[in-house]
mmCIF file of all heavy atoms in Angstrom:
data_model
loop_
_atom_site.group_PDB
_atom_site.id
_atom_site.type_symbol
_atom_site.label_atom_id
_atom_site.label_comp_id
_atom_site.label_asym_id
_atom_site.label_seq_id
_atom_site.Cartn_x
_atom_site.Cartn_y
_atom_site.Cartn_z
ATOM 1 N N GLU A 224 142.009 96.914 36.350
ATOM 2 C CA GLU A 224 140.786 97.118 35.564
ATOM 3 C C GLU A 224 139.865 98.100 36.265
ATOM 4 O O GLU A 224 139.854 98.165 37.496
ATOM 5 C CB GLU A 224 139.988 95.800 35.434
ATOM 6 C CG GLU A 224 140.676 94.683 34.717
ATOM 7 C CD GLU A 224 139.808 93.420 34.670
ATOM 8 O OE1 GLU A 224 138.579 93.505 34.536
ATOM 9 O OE2 GLU A 224 140.392 92.329 34.779
ATOM 10 N N GLY A 232 136.655 91.487 33.263
ATOM 11 C CA GLY A 232 135.631 90.727 33.988
ATOM 12 C C GLY A 232 135.111 91.532 35.164
ATOM 13 O O GLY A 232 135.133 92.773 35.145
ATOM 14 N N GLY A 233 134.684 90.820 36.196
ATOM 15 C CA GLY A 233 134.016 91.454 37.328
ATOM 16 C C GLY A 233 134.892 92.420 38.113
ATOM 17 O O GLY A 233 134.374 93.365 38.721
ATOM 18 N N LEU A 234 136.214 92.223 38.088
ATOM 19 C CA LEU A 234 137.109 93.159 38.775
ATOM 20 C C LEU A 234 136.849 94.587 38.272
ATOM 21 O O LEU A 234 136.774 95.539 39.059
ATOM 22 C CB LEU A 234 138.573 92.744 38.533
ATOM 23 C CG LEU A 234 139.648 93.734 38.957
ATOM 24 C CD1 LEU A 234 139.639 93.954 40.456
ATOM 25 C CD2 LEU A 234 141.034 93.245 38.518
ATOM 26 N N GLY A 235 136.707 94.706 36.958
ATOM 27 C CA GLY A 235 136.443 96.019 36.363
ATOM 28 C C GLY A 235 135.146 96.613 36.882
ATOM 29 O O GLY A 235 135.077 97.798 37.243
ATOM 30 N N ASP A 236 134.116 95.808 36.947
ATOM 31 C CA ASP A 236 132.819 96.298 37.432
ATOM 32 C C ASP A 236 132.931 96.792 38.875
ATOM 33 O O ASP A 236 132.384 97.836 39.233
ATOM 34 C CB ASP A 236 131.770 95.173 37.382
ATOM 35 C CG ASP A 236 131.306 94.886 35.956
ATOM 36 O OD1 ASP A 236 131.628 95.678 35.060
ATOM 37 O OD2 ASP A 236 130.622 93.862 35.746
ATOM 38 N N VAL A 237 133.630 96.024 39.699
ATOM 39 C CA VAL A 237 133.721 96.369 41.120
ATOM 40 C C VAL A 237 134.491 97.682 41.306
ATOM 41 O O VAL A 237 134.033 98.585 42.013
ATOM 42 C CB VAL A 237 134.397 95.220 41.918
ATOM 43 C CG1 VAL A 237 134.727 95.655 43.334
ATOM 44 C CG2 VAL A 237 133.494 93.992 41.933
ATOM 45 N N ASP A 349 143.597 92.464 43.843
ATOM 46 C CA ASP A 349 144.228 91.311 43.171
ATOM 47 C C ASP A 349 145.751 91.451 43.020
ATOM 48 O O ASP A 349 146.358 92.429 43.416
ATOM 49 C CB ASP A 349 143.568 91.036 41.809
ATOM 50 C CG ASP A 349 142.351 90.102 41.957
ATOM 51 O OD1 ASP A 349 142.131 89.596 43.076
ATOM 52 O OD2 ASP A 349 141.640 89.882 40.962
ATOM 53 N N THR A 376 142.030 93.315 48.481
ATOM 54 C CA THR A 376 140.825 92.540 48.183
ATOM 55 C C THR A 376 141.185 91.452 47.185
ATOM 56 O O THR A 376 141.743 91.744 46.117
ATOM 57 C CB THR A 376 139.698 93.437 47.620
ATOM 58 O OG1 THR A 376 139.282 94.304 48.671
ATOM 59 C CG2 THR A 376 138.494 92.614 47.167
ATOM 60 N N ILE A 377 140.893 90.206 47.569
ATOM 61 C CA ILE A 377 141.132 89.078 46.659
ATOM 62 C C ILE A 377 139.855 88.835 45.863
ATOM 63 O O ILE A 377 138.839 88.428 46.413
ATOM 64 C CB ILE A 377 141.514 87.800 47.437
ATOM 65 C CG1 ILE A 377 142.749 88.039 48.298
ATOM 66 C CG2 ILE A 377 141.734 86.637 46.474
ATOM 67 C CD1 ILE A 377 143.214 86.810 49.074
ATOM 68 N N HIS A 378 139.943 89.116 44.571
ATOM 69 C CA HIS A 378 138.806 88.832 43.687
ATOM 70 C C HIS A 378 138.932 87.414 43.147
ATOM 71 O O HIS A 378 137.937 86.812 42.772
ATOM 72 C CB HIS A 378 138.778 89.830 42.527
ATOM 73 C CG HIS A 378 138.533 91.236 42.971
ATOM 74 N ND1 HIS A 378 137.296 91.827 42.897
ATOM 75 C CD2 HIS A 378 139.352 92.152 43.531
ATOM 76 C CE1 HIS A 378 137.374 93.067 43.371
ATOM 77 N NE2 HIS A 378 138.621 93.286 43.766
ATOM 78 N N ASN A 379 140.168 86.953 43.057
ATOM 79 C CA ASN A 379 140.367 85.615 42.525
ATOM 80 C C ASN A 379 141.755 85.106 42.895
ATOM 81 O O ASN A 379 142.748 85.616 42.383
ATOM 82 C CB ASN A 379 140.211 85.653 40.996
ATOM 83 C CG ASN A 379 139.974 84.283 40.438
ATOM 84 O OD1 ASN A 379 140.450 83.293 41.001
ATOM 85 N ND2 ASN A 379 139.233 84.205 39.356
ATOM 86 N N TYR A 382 144.709 83.263 40.340
ATOM 87 C CA TYR A 382 145.783 83.993 39.664
ATOM 88 C C TYR A 382 146.627 84.710 40.712
ATOM 89 O O TYR A 382 146.112 85.502 41.489
ATOM 90 C CB TYR A 382 145.187 85.007 38.673
ATOM 91 C CG TYR A 382 144.203 84.395 37.707
ATOM 92 C CD1 TYR A 382 142.830 84.508 37.901
ATOM 93 C CD2 TYR A 382 144.661 83.687 36.603
ATOM 94 C CE1 TYR A 382 141.920 83.931 37.014
ATOM 95 C CE2 TYR A 382 143.767 83.115 35.704
ATOM 96 C CZ TYR A 382 142.396 83.234 35.924
ATOM 97 O OH TYR A 382 141.502 82.671 35.047
ATOM 98 N N VAL A 427 135.687 88.610 48.149
ATOM 99 C CA VAL A 427 134.493 89.251 47.607
ATOM 100 C C VAL A 427 133.181 88.553 47.960
ATOM 101 O O VAL A 427 132.120 88.950 47.473
ATOM 102 C CB VAL A 427 134.625 89.496 46.086
ATOM 103 C CG1 VAL A 427 135.631 90.604 45.815
ATOM 104 C CG2 VAL A 427 135.036 88.220 45.354
ATOM 105 N N ASN A 458 130.274 91.520 47.189
ATOM 106 C CA ASN A 458 130.187 92.619 46.220
ATOM 107 C C ASN A 458 128.759 93.104 46.061
ATOM 108 O O ASN A 458 127.806 92.341 46.249
ATOM 109 C CB ASN A 458 130.605 92.136 44.826
ATOM 110 C CG ASN A 458 132.099 91.989 44.671
ATOM 111 O OD1 ASN A 458 132.860 92.631 45.376
ATOM 112 N ND2 ASN A 458 132.503 91.147 43.734
ATOM 113 N N ARG A 511 133.574 84.168 30.791
ATOM 114 C CA ARG A 511 134.855 83.684 30.292
ATOM 115 C C ARG A 511 134.756 82.171 30.096
ATOM 116 O O ARG A 511 134.272 81.458 30.990
ATOM 117 C CB ARG A 511 135.955 84.030 31.296
ATOM 118 C CG ARG A 511 136.181 85.529 31.437
ATOM 119 C CD ARG A 511 137.307 85.862 32.396
ATOM 120 N NE ARG A 511 136.975 85.569 33.780
ATOM 121 C CZ ARG A 511 137.671 84.766 34.568
ATOM 122 N NH1 ARG A 511 138.744 84.155 34.096
ATOM 123 N NH2 ARG A 511 137.321 84.563 35.824
ATOM 124 N N GLU A 515 137.453 77.363 35.329
ATOM 125 C CA GLU A 515 136.897 77.906 36.572
ATOM 126 C C GLU A 515 135.386 78.126 36.490
ATOM 127 O O GLU A 515 134.658 77.953 37.460
ATOM 128 C CB GLU A 515 137.523 79.285 36.727
ATOM 129 C CG GLU A 515 138.028 79.640 38.068
ATOM 130 C CD GLU A 515 138.609 81.043 37.969
ATOM 131 O OE1 GLU A 515 139.755 81.170 37.510
ATOM 132 O OE2 GLU A 515 137.895 81.961 38.305
ATOM 133 N N LYS A 516 134.934 78.516 35.318
ATOM 134 C CA LYS A 516 133.500 78.801 35.123
ATOM 135 C C LYS A 516 132.730 77.543 34.718
ATOM 136 O O LYS A 516 131.532 77.614 34.430
ATOM 137 C CB LYS A 516 133.312 79.865 34.037
ATOM 138 C CG LYS A 516 133.995 81.177 34.337
ATOM 139 C CD LYS A 516 133.202 81.986 35.344
ATOM 140 C CE LYS A 516 133.918 83.272 35.707
ATOM 141 N NZ LYS A 516 133.365 83.938 36.883
ATOM 142 N N MET A 586 125.221 79.226 35.513
ATOM 143 C CA MET A 586 126.559 79.472 36.081
ATOM 144 C C MET A 586 127.047 78.202 36.782
ATOM 145 O O MET A 586 126.916 78.056 37.992
ATOM 146 C CB MET A 586 126.532 80.651 37.057
ATOM 147 C CG MET A 586 126.220 81.978 36.388
ATOM 148 S SD MET A 586 126.303 83.384 37.506
ATOM 149 C CE MET A 586 128.057 83.630 37.705
ATOM 150 N N VAL A 590 134.764 77.396 40.558
ATOM 151 C CA VAL A 590 135.173 78.385 41.557
ATOM 152 C C VAL A 590 134.417 79.666 41.231
ATOM 153 O O VAL A 590 134.361 80.058 40.068
ATOM 154 C CB VAL A 590 136.689 78.689 41.431
ATOM 155 C CG1 VAL A 590 137.127 79.713 42.469
ATOM 156 C CG2 VAL A 590 137.518 77.426 41.534
ATOM 157 N N GLU A 591 133.832 80.312 42.229
ATOM 158 C CA GLU A 591 133.188 81.607 41.968
ATOM 159 C C GLU A 591 133.321 82.505 43.195
ATOM 160 O O GLU A 591 132.501 82.479 44.108
ATOM 161 C CB GLU A 591 131.710 81.415 41.600
ATOM 162 C CG GLU A 591 131.089 82.614 40.909
ATOM 163 C CD GLU A 591 131.813 83.013 39.621
ATOM 164 O OE1 GLU A 591 131.542 82.429 38.554
ATOM 165 O OE2 GLU A 591 132.672 83.923 39.704
ATOM 166 N N PRO A 592 134.409 83.297 43.224
ATOM 167 C CA PRO A 592 134.656 84.151 44.393
ATOM 168 C C PRO A 592 133.453 85.020 44.763
ATOM 169 O O PRO A 592 133.126 85.165 45.936
ATOM 170 C CB PRO A 592 135.842 84.993 43.951
ATOM 171 C CG PRO A 592 136.570 84.108 42.962
ATOM 172 C CD PRO A 592 135.499 83.357 42.244
ATOM 173 N N CYS A 593 132.812 85.606 43.793
ATOM 174 C CA CYS A 593 131.542 86.285 44.055
ATOM 175 C C CYS A 593 130.588 85.981 42.907
ATOM 176 O O CYS A 593 129.574 85.341 43.084
ATOM 177 C CB CYS A 593 131.705 87.797 44.218
ATOM 178 S SG CYS A 593 130.108 88.581 44.462
ATOM 179 N N GLY A 594 130.958 86.460 41.714
ATOM 180 C CA GLY A 594 130.036 86.334 40.587
ATOM 181 C C GLY A 594 129.129 87.555 40.591
ATOM 182 O O GLY A 594 128.475 87.846 41.601
ATOM 183 N N LEU A 595 129.130 88.264 39.475
ATOM 184 C CA LEU A 595 128.233 89.415 39.363
ATOM 185 C C LEU A 595 127.067 89.074 38.441
ATOM 186 O O LEU A 595 125.974 89.600 38.581
ATOM 187 C CB LEU A 595 129.003 90.616 38.801
ATOM 188 C CG LEU A 595 130.185 91.074 39.659
ATOM 189 C CD1 LEU A 595 130.980 92.154 38.947
ATOM 190 C CD2 LEU A 595 129.704 91.584 41.007
ATOM 191 N N ASN A 596 127.335 88.150 37.507
ATOM 192 C CA ASN A 596 126.312 87.811 36.506
ATOM 193 C C ASN A 596 124.980 87.445 37.144
ATOM 194 O O ASN A 596 123.922 87.862 36.683
ATOM 195 C CB ASN A 596 126.767 86.631 35.644
ATOM 196 C CG ASN A 596 128.016 86.925 34.855
ATOM 197 O OD1 ASN A 596 128.732 87.860 35.166
ATOM 198 N ND2 ASN A 596 128.267 86.143 33.829
ATOM 199 N N GLN A 597 125.041 86.629 38.209
ATOM 200 C CA GLN A 597 123.776 86.196 38.824
ATOM 201 C C GLN A 597 123.037 87.387 39.422
ATOM 202 O O GLN A 597 121.806 87.432 39.399
ATOM 203 C CB GLN A 597 124.016 85.098 39.864
ATOM 204 C CG GLN A 597 124.521 85.527 41.230
ATOM 205 C CD GLN A 597 126.026 85.800 41.248
ATOM 206 O OE1 GLN A 597 126.676 85.891 40.214
ATOM 207 N NE2 GLN A 597 126.589 85.934 42.425
ATOM 208 N N MET A 598 123.797 88.391 39.911
ATOM 209 C CA MET A 598 123.121 89.558 40.501
ATOM 210 C C MET A 598 122.524 90.446 39.409
ATOM 211 O O MET A 598 121.451 91.009 39.576
ATOM 212 C CB MET A 598 124.095 90.331 41.388
ATOM 213 C CG MET A 598 124.498 89.535 42.618
ATOM 214 S SD MET A 598 125.279 90.547 43.875
ATOM 215 C CE MET A 598 126.999 90.211 43.568
ATOM 216 N N GLY A 614 130.317 83.032 46.039
ATOM 217 C CA GLY A 614 129.304 84.079 46.079
ATOM 218 C C GLY A 614 127.950 83.630 45.537
ATOM 219 O O GLY A 614 126.925 84.241 45.843
HETATM 220 C C1 GLC B 819 136.720 87.787 39.996
HETATM 221 C C2 GLC B 819 135.883 86.576 40.329
HETATM 222 C C3 GLC B 819 134.409 86.837 40.311
HETATM 223 C C4 GLC B 819 134.085 88.135 41.027
HETATM 224 C C5 GLC B 819 134.884 89.261 40.428
HETATM 225 C C6 GLC B 819 134.603 90.602 41.085
HETATM 226 O O1 GLC B 819 136.922 87.952 38.650
HETATM 227 O O2 GLC B 819 136.196 85.470 39.476
HETATM 228 O O3 GLC B 819 133.722 85.766 40.932
HETATM 229 O O4 GLC B 819 132.709 88.421 40.920
HETATM 230 O O5 GLC B 819 136.250 88.995 40.567
HETATM 231 O O6 GLC B 819 134.931 90.613 42.443
#
Side-chain angles (χ1 to χ4, degrees):
E224 298 179 36
L234 169 64
D236 286 349
V237 170
D349 272 353
T376 293
I377 302 181
H378 295 260
N379 198 330
Y382 307 100
V427 289
N458 283 335
R511 294 182 290 123
E515 225 180 279
K516 301 282 177 193
M586 294 184 76
V590 180
E591 198 58 84
C593 177
L595 299 173
N596 298 18
Q597 79 280 12
M598 293 195 261

